[in-house]
């Protein structure tokens, strides 16, 4: 039996946004009490009150259409964005694809994350007192270092026309969010744009120039529609320090107007936290930019729960000193937050898809039907027309259900409390 230990009450003051629209100030304060007698959390020293403890939660509506429900620590069914807020999460990130549907209206999957999905999530996040980071991929489906395909509708455009299309799309999309009363705090121009973006590649002649023109076009739209929001650019593979040097240099040379240099940091791929601190610290110092971790995650179990294999887990991916457990997952989050908090101009972290759990049934067949119908898996078979090499071959379910903060039946786990507890620490025996 668990001994009764000193409970530490973490009081987190969150300021619910009273005003809607881009980055508007906060006024109404609410107190959040989170306690745990089983999760040890070392206090993160010198954490600013406005430090971002964010969560990418882009798949939620697609999961809910397939029957997923979310419950708080007491087993009460609630809006999952409310549950996140109650546990100290203060920012929601949502990815946006231009048109993740085929001509018959069948979704490509991965949450079918178009702007309408972002508006729904943004309204729910705003209602729960959180700001929204809008993450434009400028693609019809996943954009990452392996692929940066332009949207179907932009194929064959010369760079001037493509920049104009990107500007207009960004402007119109942000206007939809603002009109819906969403509190847009930050806008990301491209996702993991490691030398490529929206069909342009830095390995082609003039490639960097075209990529930077596209980024500038996106930034211009943000400044016009959401003048108080931060403009972020996003790269990955911080373990390659020389690449980050070149990204920083190109952004500076082509005078891209941005505020935040963001990096992914998956501890099982991306080197040590000391290295992360060094490369982001370098950008912050050299260019005077804010820095943050836009994506991080870790597993609480090696087990899969939806009959679609996971990125890490049964096949490996364990990081030294971080067991696959709620405690290991919480330690990872706490230490990434501490790392970024200790970098000058380090503004926060976002956990990636901590709400993406198994959609549905007790067999691969039952789940597969949901992934196809609602887009709740990482890709549906309909994505093959757009991404034949990857999605076309490997479409299916969720590869990160063992990295969520909810069990496969939707109950908040103890690890979710880390976001609130890291502010004051939680000492147990
Ligand atoms: Ca899975």
């Amino acid at each position: 039996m668990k001994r009764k230990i000193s409970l530490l009450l973490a009081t987190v003051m969150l300021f619910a946004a009273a005003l809607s629209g881009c980055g508007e100030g906060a006024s109404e304060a609410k107190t959040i009490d989170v306690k745990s007698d089983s999760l040890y959390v070392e206090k993160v020293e010198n954490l600013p009150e406005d430090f971002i403890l964010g969560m990418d939660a882009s798949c939620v509506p697609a999961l809910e259409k397939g029957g997923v429900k979310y419950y708080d620590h007491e087993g009460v069914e609630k809006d999952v964005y409310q549950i996140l807020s109650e546990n100290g999460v203060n920012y929601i990130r949502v990815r946006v694809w231009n048109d993740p549907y085929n001509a018959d209206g069948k979704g490509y999957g991965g949450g079918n994350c178009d702007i309408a999905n972002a508006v729904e999530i943004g309204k729910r996040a705003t209602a729960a007192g959180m700001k929204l980071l809008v993450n434009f991929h400028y693609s019809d489906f996943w954009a990452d270092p392996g692929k940066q395909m332009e949207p179907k509708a932009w194929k064959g455009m010369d760079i001037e026309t493509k920049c104009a299309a990107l500007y207009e799309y960004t402007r119109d999309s942000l206007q939809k969010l603002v009109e819906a009363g969403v509190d847009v705090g930050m806008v990301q121009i491209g996702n993991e744009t490691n030398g490529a973006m929206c069909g342009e590649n830095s390995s082609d002649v003039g490639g960097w120039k075209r990529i930077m023109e596209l980024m500038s076009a996106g930034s211009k739209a943000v400044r016009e529609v959401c003048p108080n929001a931060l403009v972020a650019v996003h790269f990955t593979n911080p373990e390659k320090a020389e690449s980050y040097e070149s990204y920083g240099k190109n952004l500076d040379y082509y005078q891209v107007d941005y505020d935040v240099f963001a990096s992914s940091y998956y501890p099982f791929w991306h080197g040590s936290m000391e290295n992360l601190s060094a490369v982001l610290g370098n950008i912050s110092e050299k260019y005077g930019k804010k820095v943050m971790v836009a994506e991080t995650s870790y597993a609480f179990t090696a087990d899969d729960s939806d009959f679609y294999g996971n990125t890490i887990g049964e096949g490996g991916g364990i990081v030294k000193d971080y067991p696959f457990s709620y405690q290991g997952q919480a330690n990872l989050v706490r230490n990434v937050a501490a790392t970024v908090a200790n970098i000058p101009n380090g503004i926060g972290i976002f956990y990636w898809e901590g709400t993406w759990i198994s959609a549905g049934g007790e067999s691969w067949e039952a789940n597969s039907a949901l992934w196809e119908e609602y887009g709740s898996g990482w890709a549906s078979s309909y994505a093959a027309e757009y991404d034949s090499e990857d999605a076309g071959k490997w479409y299916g379910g969720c590869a990160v259900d063992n990295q969520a903060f909810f069990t496969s039946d939707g109950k908040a786990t103890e690890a979710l409390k880390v976001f609130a507890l890291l502010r004051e620490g939680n000492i147990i025996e």
Side-chain angles (χ1 to χ4, degrees), residues 87-103:
N87 282 276
V89 173
N90 59 14
Y91 227 109
I92 294 297
R93 179 176 186 252
V94 64
R95 65 178 163 276
V96 180
W97 293 318
N98 288 44
D99 180 25
Y101 290 90
N102 73 8

Side-chain angles (χ1 to χ4, degrees), residues 304 306 308-310 398-399 401:
D304 170 55
D306 74 343
Y308 187 86
N310 290 332
C398 176
D401 45 275

Side-chain angles (χ1 to χ4, degrees), residues 56 93 95 135 137 142-143 188 191-192 234-236 262-267 269-270 292-297 336 349-353:
D56 192 304
R93 179 176 186 252
R95 65 178 163 276
N135 169 19
H137 283 220
W142 300 102
Q188 198 184 300
N191 190 73
E192 296 190 334
H234 176 212
F235 305 91
T236 188
S263 176
S264 294
Y265 179 69
Y266 293 102
W269 291 329
H270 293 156
M292 71 175 195
V293 165
E295 298 182 13
T296 189
S297 68
V336 174
I349 65 167
F350 285 84
Y351 194 93
W352 196 69
E353 284 286 10

Side-chain angles (χ1 to χ4, degrees), residues 98-115:
N98 288 44
D99 180 25
Y101 290 90
N102 73 8
D104 299 325
K106 300 289 191 184
Y108 292 167
N112 295 340
C113 293
D114 59 6
I115 190 62

Side-chain angles (χ1 to χ4, degrees), residues 303-311 358 371 397-402:
D303 298 337
D304 170 55
S305 67
D306 74 343
F307 304 93
Y308 187 86
N310 290 332
T311 307
S358 61
W371 303 330
C398 176
V400 292
D401 45 275
N402 63 337

